[in-house]
Structure formats: structure tokens, C-alpha cells
Coordinates of all heavy atoms in Angstrom, one line a residue:
M1 N -99.3 234.1 222.2 CA -100.0 235.3 222.6 C -99.0 236.4 222.8 O -97.9 236.2 223.4 CB -100.7 234.9 224.0 CG -101.4 236.1 224.5 SD -102.3 235.7 226.1 CE -103.6 234.8 225.5
D2 N -99.3 237.5 222.3 CA -98.4 238.7 222.4 C -98.4 239.2 223.9 O -99.4 239.2 224.6 CB -99.0 239.8 221.5 CG -98.1 241.1 221.5 OD1 -97.4 241.4 222.5 OD2 -98.2 241.7 220.4
Q3 N -97.2 239.5 224.4 CA -97.1 239.9 225.8 C -97.9 241.2 226.1 O -98.3 241.3 227.2 CB -95.6 240.1 226.2 CG -95.4 240.3 227.7 CD -94.0 240.1 228.1 OE1 -93.2 239.5 227.4 NE2 -93.7 240.6 229.3
L4 N -98.1 242.0 225.1 CA -98.9 243.2 225.4 C -100.3 242.9 225.7 O -101.0 243.7 226.3 CB -98.8 244.2 224.1 CG -97.4 244.7 223.9 CD1 -97.4 245.6 222.6 CD2 -96.9 245.6 225.0
S5 N -100.8 241.8 225.2 CA -102.2 241.4 225.4 C -102.4 240.6 226.7 O -103.5 240.3 227.1 CB -102.8 240.6 224.3 OG -102.1 239.4 224.1
L6 N -101.4 240.3 227.5 CA -101.5 239.6 228.7 C -101.9 240.5 229.9 O -101.7 241.7 229.8 CB -100.1 239.0 229.1 CG -99.5 238.0 228.1 CD1 -98.1 237.6 228.6 CD2 -100.3 236.8 227.9
N7 N -102.5 239.9 230.9 CA -102.9 240.7 232.0 C -101.5 241.1 232.7 O -100.5 240.4 232.6 CB -103.8 240.0 233.0 CG -103.2 238.9 233.8 OD1 -102.2 239.1 234.5 ND2 -103.8 237.7 233.7
P8 N -101.5 242.2 233.5 CA -100.3 242.7 234.1 C -99.5 241.7 234.9 O -98.3 241.6 234.9 CB -100.7 243.9 234.9 CG -102.0 244.4 234.2 CD -102.6 243.1 233.7
S9 N -100.2 240.9 235.7 CA -99.6 239.9 236.6 C -98.9 238.8 235.8 O -97.8 238.5 236.1 CB -100.7 239.2 237.5 OG -100.1 238.3 238.3
T10 N -99.5 238.3 234.7 CA -98.9 237.3 233.8 C -97.7 237.9 233.1 O -96.7 237.3 233.0 CB -100.0 236.8 232.8 OG1 -101.0 236.1 233.6 CG2 -99.3 235.8 231.9
A11 N -97.9 239.1 232.5 CA -96.8 239.8 231.8 C -95.6 240.0 232.7 O -94.5 239.8 232.3 CB -97.3 241.1 231.2
S12 N -95.8 240.3 234.0 CA -94.8 240.5 234.9 C -94.0 239.2 235.2 O -92.8 239.2 235.2 CB -95.3 241.1 236.2 OG -94.3 241.2 237.2
A13 N -94.7 238.1 235.3 CA -94.1 236.8 235.6 C -93.3 236.4 234.4 O -92.2 235.9 234.5 CB -95.2 235.8 236.0
V14 N -93.8 236.5 233.2 CA -93.1 236.2 232.0 C -91.9 237.0 231.8 O -90.8 236.5 231.5 CB -94.1 236.3 230.7 CG1 -93.3 236.1 229.4 CG2 -95.2 235.3 230.8
S15 N -92.0 238.3 232.1 CA -90.8 239.2 232.0 C -89.8 238.8 233.0 O -88.6 238.8 232.7 CB -91.3 240.7 232.2 OG -90.2 241.5 232.2
A16 N -90.2 238.5 234.2 CA -89.2 238.1 235.3 C -88.5 236.8 234.9 O -87.2 236.7 235.1 CB -89.9 237.9 236.6
A17 N -89.1 235.9 234.3 CA -88.5 234.6 233.8 C -87.5 234.9 232.7 O -86.4 234.4 232.7 CB -89.5 233.6 233.4
K18 N -87.9 235.8 231.8 CA -87.0 236.2 230.7 C -85.7 236.9 231.3 O -84.6 236.7 230.8 CB -87.7 237.1 229.7 CG -88.7 236.3 228.8 CD -89.3 237.3 227.8 CE -90.3 236.6 227.0 NZ -91.0 237.5 226.0
Q19 N -85.9 237.8 232.2 CA -84.8 238.6 232.8 C -83.9 237.6 233.6 O -82.7 237.7 233.5 CB -85.3 239.6 233.8 CG -86.0 240.8 233.0 CD -86.6 241.8 234.0 OE1 -86.2 241.8 235.2 NE2 -87.4 242.6 233.5
A20 N -84.5 236.6 234.3 CA -83.6 235.7 235.0 C -82.8 234.8 234.0 O -81.6 234.6 234.3 CB -84.5 234.8 235.9
A21 N -83.4 234.4 232.9 CA -82.7 233.6 231.9 C -81.6 234.4 231.3 O -80.5 233.9 231.2 CB -83.7 233.2 230.8
N22 N -81.9 235.7 230.9 CA -80.8 236.5 230.3 C -79.7 236.8 231.3 O -78.5 236.8 230.9 CB -81.4 237.8 229.8 CG -82.3 237.6 228.6 OD1 -82.1 236.7 227.9 ND2 -83.3 238.5 228.4
A23 N -80.0 237.0 232.6 CA -79.0 237.3 233.6 C -78.1 236.1 233.8 O -76.9 236.2 233.9 CB -79.6 237.7 234.9
A24 N -78.7 234.9 233.8 CA -77.9 233.7 234.0 C -77.0 233.4 232.8 O -75.8 233.1 232.9 CB -78.9 232.5 234.2
L25 N -77.5 233.6 231.6 CA -76.7 233.4 230.4 C -75.6 234.5 230.3 O -74.5 234.1 229.9 CB -77.6 233.5 229.1 CG -78.5 232.3 229.0 CD1 -79.6 232.5 227.9 CD2 -77.7 231.0 228.7
D26 N -75.9 235.7 230.7 CA -74.8 236.8 230.7 C -73.7 236.4 231.6 O -72.6 236.6 231.3 CB -75.4 238.1 231.0 CG -76.3 238.7 229.9 OD1 -76.3 238.2 228.8 OD2 -77.0 239.7 230.2
A27 N -74.1 235.9 232.8 CA -73.1 235.6 233.8 C -72.3 234.3 233.4 O -71.1 234.2 233.7 CB -73.8 235.3 235.1
L28 N -72.9 233.4 232.6 CA -72.2 232.2 232.2 C -71.1 232.6 231.2 O -70.0 232.1 231.3 CB -73.2 231.3 231.5 CG -72.6 229.9 231.1 CD1 -72.0 229.1 232.2 CD2 -73.7 229.1 230.3
G29 N -71.4 233.5 230.3 CA -70.4 234.0 229.3 C -70.0 233.0 228.2 O -69.0 233.2 227.6
G30 N -70.8 232.0 228.1 CA -70.6 231.0 227.0 C -71.8 230.2 226.8 O -72.9 230.5 227.4
P31 N -71.8 229.2 225.9 CA -73.0 228.4 225.7 C -73.3 227.5 226.8 O -72.5 227.0 227.5 CB -72.6 227.6 224.4 CG -71.1 227.6 224.4 CD -70.7 228.8 225.1
P32 N -74.6 227.4 227.1 CA -75.0 226.5 228.2 C -75.2 225.1 227.7 O -75.5 224.8 226.6 CB -76.4 227.1 228.6 CG -76.9 227.7 227.3 CD -75.7 228.2 226.6
A33 N -75.0 224.2 228.7 CA -75.2 222.7 228.4 C -76.6 222.3 228.8 O -77.2 221.4 228.3 CB -74.1 221.9 229.0
A34 N -77.1 223.0 229.9 CA -78.4 222.7 230.4 C -78.8 223.8 231.3 O -78.0 224.7 231.7 CB -78.3 221.4 231.3
A35 N -80.1 223.9 231.6 CA -80.7 225.0 232.4 C -81.7 224.4 233.4 O -82.4 223.5 233.1 CB -81.3 226.0 231.5
L36 N -81.7 225.0 234.6 CA -82.7 224.7 235.6 C -83.6 225.9 235.8 O -83.0 227.1 235.8 CB -82.1 224.3 236.9 CG -81.3 223.0 237.0 CD1 -80.6 222.9 238.3 CD2 -82.2 221.8 236.7
F37 N -84.8 225.8 236.1 CA -85.7 226.9 236.3 C -86.5 226.5 237.6 O -87.1 225.5 237.7 CB -86.7 227.1 235.2 CG -87.8 228.1 235.4 CD1 -87.4 229.4 235.7 CD2 -89.1 227.8 235.4 CE1 -88.4 230.4 235.9 CE2 -90.1 228.7 235.7 CZ -89.7 230.0 235.9
F38 N -86.5 227.5 238.5 CA -87.3 227.4 239.8 C -88.2 228.6 239.9 O -87.8 229.7 239.6 CB -86.4 227.3 241.0 CG -85.4 226.3 240.9 CD1 -84.1 226.5 240.5 CD2 -85.7 225.0 241.4 CE1 -83.1 225.5 240.4 CE2 -84.7 224.0 241.3 CZ -83.5 224.2 240.9
D39 N -89.4 228.4 240.2 CA -90.4 229.5 240.5 C -91.3 229.1 241.6 O -91.5 227.9 241.9 CB -91.2 229.7 239.2 CG -91.8 231.2 239.2 OD1 -91.7 231.9 240.2 OD2 -92.3 231.6 238.1
C40 N -91.7 230.1 242.3 CA -92.5 229.9 243.5 C -93.9 229.3 243.1 O -94.5 229.6 242.1 CB -92.8 231.3 244.2 SG -93.6 231.1 245.7
V41 N -94.3 228.3 243.9 CA -95.6 227.7 243.7 C -96.7 228.7 243.7 O -97.7 228.6 243.0 CB -95.8 226.5 244.7 CG1 -96.0 227.0 246.1 CG2 -97.0 225.7 244.2
A42 N -96.5 229.8 244.5 CA -97.6 230.9 244.5 C -97.8 231.5 243.2 O -98.9 231.9 242.8 CB -97.2 231.9 245.6
T43 N -96.7 231.6 242.4 CA -96.8 232.2 241.0 C -97.6 231.2 240.2 O -98.5 231.7 239.4 CB -95.4 232.4 240.4 OG1 -94.7 233.3 241.3 CG2 -95.5 233.0 239.0
R44 N -97.3 230.0 240.3 CA -98.1 229.0 239.5 C -99.6 229.0 239.9 O -100.4 228.9 239.0 CB -97.5 227.6 239.7 CG -98.2 226.6 238.8 CD -97.6 225.2 238.9 NE -98.2 224.3 238.0 CZ -97.6 223.4 237.3 NH1 -96.3 223.2 237.5 NH2 -98.2 222.6 236.5
L45 N -99.9 229.0 241.1 CA -101.3 229.1 241.6 C -102.0 230.3 241.1 O -103.1 230.3 240.7 CB -101.3 228.9 243.1 CG -100.9 227.5 243.6 CD1 -100.8 227.6 245.2 CD2 -101.7 226.4 243.1
R46 N -101.3 231.5 241.2 CA -101.8 232.7 240.8 C -102.1 232.8 239.3 O -103.1 233.3 238.9 CB -100.9 233.9 241.2 CG -101.5 235.3 241.0 CD -100.5 236.4 241.3 NE -99.5 236.4 240.2 CZ -98.2 236.2 240.4 NH1 -97.7 236.0 241.5 NH2 -97.3 236.3 239.3
M47 N -101.2 232.2 238.5 CA -101.3 232.3 237.1 C -102.3 231.2 236.5 O -102.8 231.4 235.4 CB -99.9 232.2 236.4 CG -99.0 233.3 236.7 SD -97.4 233.1 236.0 CE -97.8 233.3 234.3
G48 N -102.4 230.1 237.2 CA -103.3 229.1 236.7 C -102.8 228.6 235.3 O -101.6 228.3 235.2
D49 N -103.6 228.4 234.3 CA -103.3 227.9 233.0 C -102.2 228.9 232.3 O -101.5 228.4 231.4 CB -104.5 227.8 232.1 CG -105.4 226.6 232.6 OD1 -104.9 225.8 233.3 OD2 -106.6 226.6 232.2
E50 N -102.2 230.1 232.7 CA -101.3 231.0 232.1 C -99.8 230.8 232.5 O -98.9 231.4 231.9 CB -101.7 232.5 232.4 CG -102.9 232.9 231.7 CD -103.3 234.3 232.0 OE1 -102.9 234.9 233.0 OE2 -104.1 234.9 231.2
F51 N -99.6 229.9 233.5 CA -98.2 229.6 233.9 C -97.5 229.0 232.7 O -96.2 229.1 232.6 CB -98.2 228.6 235.0 CG -96.9 228.3 235.6 CD1 -96.2 229.3 236.3 CD2 -96.3 227.1 235.4 CE1 -94.9 229.1 236.8 CE2 -95.0 226.8 235.9 CZ -94.3 227.8 236.6
G52 N -98.2 228.3 231.8 CA -97.5 227.8 230.6 C -96.9 228.8 229.7 O -95.9 228.5 229.0
L53 N -97.4 230.1 229.8 CA -96.8 231.1 229.0 C -95.4 231.5 229.5 O -94.5 231.8 228.8 CB -97.7 232.4 229.0 CG -99.1 232.2 228.4 CD1 -99.9 233.4 228.7 CD2 -99.0 231.9 227.0
E54 N -95.2 231.4 230.8 CA -93.9 231.6 231.4 C -92.9 230.5 231.0 O -91.8 230.8 230.6 CB -94.0 231.7 233.0 CG -92.8 232.0 233.7 CD -93.0 232.1 235.2 OE1 -94.0 231.7 235.7 OE2 -92.0 232.6 235.8
L55 N -93.4 229.3 231.1 CA -92.6 228.2 230.6 C -92.2 228.3 229.1 O -91.1 228.0 228.7 CB -93.3 226.9 231.0 CG -93.5 226.6 232.4 CD1 -94.3 225.3 232.6 CD2 -92.2 226.6 233.2
S56 N -93.2 228.7 228.3 CA -93.0 228.8 226.9 C -91.9 229.8 226.6 O -91.0 229.6 225.7 CB -94.2 229.2 226.2 OG -95.2 228.1 226.2
S57 N -91.9 230.9 227.4 CA -90.8 231.9 227.1 C -89.4 231.4 227.4 O -88.5 231.7 226.7 CB -91.1 233.2 228.0 OG -90.8 233.0 229.3
L58 N -89.3 230.5 228.4 CA -88.0 229.9 228.7 C -87.7 228.8 227.7 O -86.5 228.7 227.3 CB -88.1 229.3 230.1 CG -88.1 230.2 231.2 CD1 -88.5 229.5 232.6 CD2 -86.9 231.0 231.3
Q59 N -88.7 228.1 227.2 CA -88.4 227.1 226.2 C -87.9 227.7 224.9 O -87.0 227.2 224.2 CB -89.6 226.2 226.0 CG -89.9 225.3 227.1 CD -91.3 224.6 227.0 OE1 -92.2 225.1 226.4 NE2 -91.3 223.4 227.6
E60 N -88.4 228.9 224.6 CA -87.9 229.6 223.4 C -86.5 230.0 223.6 O -85.7 229.9 222.7 CB -88.8 230.9 223.2 CG -90.2 230.6 222.7 CD -91.0 231.8 222.6 OE1 -90.5 233.0 222.7 OE2 -92.2 231.7 222.5
R61 N -86.1 230.5 224.8 CA -84.8 231.0 225.1 C -83.8 229.9 225.2 O -82.6 230.0 224.8 CB -84.8 231.7 226.5 CG -83.5 232.5 226.8 CD -83.4 233.6 225.9 NE -82.2 234.5 226.2 CZ -81.1 234.4 225.6 NH1 -80.9 233.7 224.6 NH2 -80.1 235.2 226.0
F62 N -84.2 228.7 225.6 CA -83.3 227.5 225.8 C -83.7 226.4 224.8 O -83.5 225.2 225.2 CB -83.3 227.0 227.2 CG -82.8 228.0 228.2 CD1 -83.6 228.7 229.1 CD2 -81.4 228.2 228.3 CE1 -83.1 229.6 230.0 CE2 -80.9 229.1 229.2 CZ -81.8 229.8 230.1
S63 N -84.1 226.8 223.6 CA -84.5 225.7 222.7 C -83.4 224.7 222.3 O -83.8 223.6 221.9 CB -85.1 226.4 221.4 OG -84.0 227.1 220.8
E64 N -82.2 225.1 222.5 CA -81.1 224.2 222.0 C -80.5 223.4 223.2 O -79.6 222.6 223.0 CB -80.0 225.0 221.4 CG -80.4 225.8 220.2 CD -80.9 225.0 219.1 OE1 -80.3 223.9 218.8 OE2 -81.9 225.3 218.5
V65 N -81.0 223.6 224.4 CA -80.4 222.9 225.6 C -81.5 222.3 226.4 O -82.6 222.8 226.4 CB -79.5 223.8 226.4 CG1 -78.3 224.3 225.7 CG2 -80.3 224.9 227.0
P66 N -81.2 221.2 227.2 CA -82.2 220.6 228.1 C -82.6 221.6 229.2 O -81.7 222.4 229.7 CB -81.5 219.4 228.7 CG -80.4 219.1 227.8 CD -80.0 220.4 227.1
L67 N -83.9 221.7 229.4 CA -84.4 222.6 230.5 C -85.3 221.8 231.4 O -86.2 221.1 230.9 CB -85.2 223.7 229.8 CG -86.0 224.6 230.7 CD1 -85.1 225.5 231.6 CD2 -86.9 225.5 229.9
T68 N -85.1 221.9 232.7 CA -86.0 221.3 233.6 C -86.2 222.3 234.8 O -85.5 223.2 234.9 CB -85.5 219.9 234.1 OG1 -86.5 219.2 234.8 CG2 -84.2 220.1 235.0
G69 N -87.2 222.0 235.7 CA -87.4 222.8 236.8 C -88.5 222.4 237.7 O -89.0 221.3 237.5
C70 N -88.8 223.2 238.7 CA -89.9 222.8 239.6 C -90.4 224.1 240.3 O -89.8 225.1 240.2 CB -89.5 221.8 240.6 SG -88.1 222.4 241.7
N71 N -91.5 223.9 240.9 CA -92.1 225.0 241.8 C -91.6 224.8 243.2 O -91.6 223.7 243.7 CB -93.6 225.1 241.7 CG -94.1 225.5 240.3 OD1 -94.7 224.8 239.6 ND2 -93.7 226.7 239.9
T72 N -91.2 225.9 243.9 CA -90.7 225.8 245.2 C -91.4 226.7 246.1 O -92.2 227.5 245.7 CB -89.2 226.1 245.2 OG1 -89.0 227.5 244.7 CG2 -88.4 225.2 244.2
H73 N -91.0 226.7 247.4 CA -91.5 227.6 248.4 C -90.4 228.5 248.9 O -89.4 228.0 249.4 CB -92.1 226.9 249.6 CG -93.3 226.1 249.2 ND1 -94.6 226.7 249.3 CD2 -93.5 224.8 248.9 CE1 -95.5 225.8 248.9 NE2 -94.9 224.7 248.7
G74 N -90.5 229.8 248.7 CA -89.6 230.8 249.3 C -88.2 230.8 248.8 O -87.3 230.9 249.6
Q75 N -87.9 230.6 247.5 CA -86.6 230.6 247.0 C -86.0 232.0 247.0 O -86.7 233.0 246.9 CB -86.5 230.0 245.6 CG -87.2 230.9 244.5 CD -88.7 230.7 244.5 OE1 -89.3 230.0 245.4 NE2 -89.3 231.2 243.6
I76 N -84.7 232.1 247.2 CA -83.9 233.4 247.2 C -82.8 233.2 246.2 O -82.0 232.2 246.3 CB -83.4 233.8 248.6 CG1 -84.6 233.9 249.6 CG2 -82.6 235.0 248.5 CD1 -84.1 234.1 251.0
A77 N -82.6 234.2 245.3 CA -81.5 234.1 244.4 C -80.9 235.6 244.3 O -81.5 236.4 243.6 CB -81.8 233.6 243.1
R78 N -79.9 235.8 245.0 CA -79.3 237.2 244.9 C -77.9 237.1 244.2 O -77.2 236.1 244.4 CB -79.0 237.7 246.3 CG -80.2 237.8 247.2 CD -80.9 239.2 246.9 NE -82.0 239.3 247.9 CZ -83.0 240.1 247.7 NH1 -83.1 240.8 246.6 NH2 -83.9 240.2 248.6
A79 N -77.6 238.1 243.5 CA -76.3 238.2 242.8 C -75.6 239.4 243.4 O -76.3 240.3 243.9 CB -76.5 238.3 241.3
E80 N -74.3 239.4 243.3 CA -73.5 240.5 243.9 C -74.0 241.8 243.2 O -74.2 241.9 242.0 CB -72.1 240.3 243.6 CG -71.2 241.4 244.2 CD -69.7 241.1 244.0 OE1 -69.3 239.9 243.9 OE2 -69.0 242.1 244.0
G81 N -74.3 242.8 244.1 CA -74.8 244.1 243.6 C -76.3 244.2 243.3 O -76.8 245.2 242.9
Q82 N -77.0 243.1 243.5 CA -78.5 243.0 243.3 C -79.2 243.2 244.6 O -79.0 242.4 245.5 CB -78.9 241.7 242.6 CG -80.4 241.6 242.4 CD -80.7 240.2 241.9 OE1 -80.0 239.3 242.0 NE2 -81.9 240.1 241.4
F83 N -80.0 244.2 244.8 CA -80.6 244.5 246.0 C -82.1 244.5 246.0 O -82.8 244.9 246.9 CB -80.1 245.8 246.6 CG -78.6 245.9 246.8 CD1 -77.8 246.5 245.9 CD2 -78.0 245.2 247.8 CE1 -76.5 246.5 246.0 CE2 -76.7 245.2 248.0 CZ -75.9 245.9 247.1
S84 N -82.7 244.1 244.9 CA -84.2 244.2 244.8 C -84.7 242.8 244.7 O -84.0 241.8 244.5 CB -84.6 244.9 243.5 OG -84.1 244.2 242.4
G85 N -86.0 242.6 244.9 CA -86.7 241.4 244.7 C -87.4 240.9 246.0 O -87.2 241.5 247.0
F86 N -88.1 239.8 245.9 CA -88.9 239.3 247.0 C -88.1 238.0 247.5 O -87.3 237.5 246.8 CB -90.3 238.9 246.5 CG -91.1 240.0 246.2 CD1 -91.3 240.4 244.9 CD2 -91.8 240.7 247.2 CE1 -92.2 241.5 244.6 CE2 -92.6 241.8 246.9 CZ -92.8 242.2 245.6
H87 N -88.5 237.5 248.6 CA -88.0 236.2 249.1 C -88.8 235.1 248.6 O -88.6 233.9 248.9 CB -87.9 236.2 250.6 CG -87.0 237.2 251.2 ND1 -85.6 237.1 250.9 CD2 -87.1 238.3 251.9 CE1 -85.0 238.1 251.5 NE2 -85.9 238.9 252.1
N88 N -89.9 235.4 247.9 CA -90.7 234.3 247.3 C -91.2 234.9 246.0 O -91.0 236.1 245.6 CB -91.8 233.9 248.2 CG -92.8 235.0 248.5 OD1 -92.7 236.1 248.1 ND2 -93.7 234.7 249.4
C89 N -92.0 234.2 245.2 CA -92.5 234.6 243.9 C -91.4 235.1 243.0 O -91.5 236.1 242.3 CB -93.6 235.7 244.1 SG -95.0 235.1 244.9
T90 N -90.2 234.4 243.1 CA -89.1 234.8 242.3 C -88.7 233.8 241.3 O -88.6 232.6 241.6 CB -87.8 235.0 243.3 OG1 -88.2 235.9 244.3 CG2 -86.6 235.5 242.5
A91 N -88.5 234.2 240.0 CA -88.1 233.3 239.0 C -86.6 233.1 239.1 O -85.8 234.1 239.1 CB -88.5 233.8 237.6
V92 N -86.1 231.9 239.2 CA -84.6 231.6 239.3 C -84.2 230.7 238.2 O -84.8 229.7 237.9 CB -84.3 231.0 240.7 CG1 -82.8 230.7 240.8 CG2 -84.8 231.9 241.8
V93 N -83.2 231.1 237.5 CA -82.6 230.3 236.4 C -81.2 230.0 236.7 O -80.4 230.9 237.0 CB -82.7 231.0 235.0 CG1 -82.1 230.1 233.9 CG2 -84.2 231.2 234.7
C94 N -80.8 228.7 236.6 CA -79.4 228.3 236.7 C -79.0 227.6 235.4 O -79.7 226.8 234.9 CB -79.3 227.3 237.9 SG -77.7 226.6 238.1
V95 N -77.8 228.0 234.9 CA -77.3 227.4 233.7 C -76.0 226.7 234.0 O -75.2 227.2 234.8 CB -77.2 228.4 232.5 CG1 -78.6 228.9 232.0 CG2 -76.4 229.6 232.9
F96 N -75.7 225.7 233.2 CA -74.5 224.9 233.4 C -73.7 225.1 232.1 O -74.2 225.0 231.0 CB -74.8 223.4 233.6 CG -75.5 223.2 234.9 CD1 -76.9 223.2 234.9 CD2 -74.8 223.1 236.1 CE1 -77.6 223.0 236.1 CE2 -75.5 222.9 237.3 CZ -76.9 222.9 237.3
P97 N -72.3 225.3 232.2 CA -71.5 225.4 231.0 C -71.3 224.1 230.3 O -71.5 223.0 230.8 CB -70.2 225.9 231.6 CG -70.2 225.4 233.0 CD -71.6 225.4 233.5
E98 N -71.0 224.3 229.0 CA -70.7 223.1 228.2 C -69.5 222.4 228.7 O -68.6 223.0 229.2 CB -70.5 223.5 226.7 CG -71.8 223.8 226.1 CD -71.7 224.0 224.6 OE1 -70.7 224.6 224.1 OE2 -72.6 223.5 223.9

């Protein structure tokens, strides 16, 4: 499904997951060996079946490495110099170097 045809809430969640993946990969500075994904359970409940679109966007980005994750409550992931975001409903990606 084209991201332009998604409802705004779903498109925002998919975009946030992609941004988190790109930021994690940029910070790693090399190829990843594995990736973890955490997202708020509220996002999954809000998106329903469309939550799979968020996961698909990550599977495309990490097609060459193992990817696992879970839904959590109230995760926080701040990076130095980053001052925006919520204390929940946040897509968090962690990558491990080879």
C-alpha cells in the first residue's frame, strides 16, 4: 500500500518507525548484525490491522538482518540534542554492530 493512501495516523506511525530505523543505522555507522524494535501498545491498538504496515516498513529496511521486537508501555528514547517526542507512542529501534 502506498503511504500516500494511508490514513494520517497510520502514515505518521509508519514514518516514525522509518525515521527511528534510519537514525539508529546512522548512529551505528556500519552494518548491523541485528535490530530490535519497540513500540507502544497504544499504537498497536490504535492502528489495529494496519500495525502490520509499520512492521513491513521495518522488515524492508532490515531485510538482511534479524529483526525482533515487542509492544511496551511508556518507552522513552532520547538521543543527545533531541528534544521532541512523547513519553509513549514512540517507535524505538536499537541496532547491534556486526
Side-chain angles (χ1 to χ4, degrees):
M1 180 180 285
D2 185 330
Q3 190 164 341
L4 294 175
S5 63
L6 299 178
N7 74 55
S9 180
T10 298
S12 177
V14 171
S15 177
K18 287 180 180 181
Q19 288 176 19
N22 290 333
L25 289 168
D26 289 347
L28 182 63
L36 294 174
F37 174 63
F38 304 94
D39 202 350
C40 186
V41 69
T43 301
R44 184 179 186 142
L45 294 173
R46 184 185 76 241
M47 292 177 71
D49 290 340
E50 292 181 336
F51 186 71
L53 299 172
E54 185 176 13
L55 297 177
S56 293
S57 73
L58 291 169
Q59 288 171 331
E60 289 173 15
R61 188 68 173 104
F62 294 107
S63 62
E64 302 298 318
V65 298
L67 170 68
T68 192
C70 63
N71 292 115
T72 63
H73 290 276
Q75 65 281 8
I76 300 173
R78 300 274 188 205
E80 187 175 331
Q82 179 187 14
F83 301 103
S84 63
F86 291 100
H87 294 296
N88 61 6
C89 296
T90 304
V92 178
V93 176
C94 175
V95 290
F96 297 94
E98 286 188 321

